[in-house]
């Protein structure tokens, strides 16, 4: 169960990133629309966790699935979650557990591609623990 202060309502935003902009973020050549290249990964994301007040630098990690890798410390587990969710972060099941009621809002974003389709996910959570649990316990745990 997610506990959120009533004064703050999280917003999920999904947008299509331009191929050139996405390529610049991920450091790759833009992919053509449709299915991924036969020699390319199944999915590739730039993940970010940022304090809403800007009081600390944003944490960033890259994640590539099929083969699993990138700078994410648990790439295989994160990719397994994304595979079960069809690459959609919003479909990764929440990991149950307790978090403190500390209010230190963080915004998590995932920008990338899955099977040739571009995705962008963004959501704000009351604190880092709540953000990690709400997104499966692995994806933004770096």
């Amino acid at each position: 169960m997610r506990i959120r202060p009533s004064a703050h309502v999280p917003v999920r935003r999904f947008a299509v990133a331009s191929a050139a902009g996405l390529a610049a973020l991920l450091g790759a050549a833009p992919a053509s629309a449709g299915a991924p290249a036969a020699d390319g990964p199944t999915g590739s994301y730039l993940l970010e966790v940022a304090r809403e007040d800007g009081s600390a630098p944003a944490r960033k990690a890259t994640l590539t699935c099929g083969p699993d890798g990138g700078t994410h410390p648990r790439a295989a587990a994160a990719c397994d979650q994304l595979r079960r969710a069809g690459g959609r972060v919003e479909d990764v099941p929440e990991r149950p557990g307790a978090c403190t009621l500390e209010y230190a809002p963080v915004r998590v974003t995932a920008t990338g591609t899955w099977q040739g389709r571009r995705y962008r996910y963004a959501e704000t959570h009351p604190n880092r623990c709540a953000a990690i649990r709400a997104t499966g316990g692995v994806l933004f745990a770096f």
Side-chain angles (χ1 to χ4, degrees):
M1 180 170 102
R2 296 182 193 177
I3 299 175
R4 296 189 174 109
S6 61
H8 178 75
V9 177
V11 176
R12 291 183 183 213
R13 295 184 185 171
F14 307 96
V16 177
S18 74
L22 184 59
L25 284 173
L26 299 176
S32 61
D39 60 346
T42 301
S44 185
Y45 287 95
L46 173 62
L47 306 170
E48 185 173 343
V49 179
R51 293 277 311 250
E52 282 280 293
D53 64 5
S55 63
R59 295 174 180 238
K60 296 179 183 180
T62 58
L63 179 65
T64 304
C65 302
D68 301 348
T71 61
H72 194 289
R74 295 184 56 204
C79 286
D80 285 346
Q81 286 185 332
L82 284 170
R83 277 189 276 276
R84 287 191 298 273
R88 296 174 51 86
V89 175
E90 62 274 15
D91 290 342
V92 172
E94 184 174 320
R95 180 176 182 187
C99 288
T100 64
L101 295 179
E102 167 193 23
Y103 187 68
V106 295
R107 182 145 186 92
V108 294
T109 59
T111 306
T113 62
W114 189 265
Q115 295 183 337
R117 298 182 72 185
R118 291 181 284 281
Y119 286 101
R120 176 161 169 77
Y121 167 85
E123 187 170 359
T124 300
H125 298 273
N127 59 50
R128 188 167 181 267
C129 175
I132 291 169
R133 290 211 177 272
T135 55
V138 177
L139 199 58
F140 291 100
F142 52 84

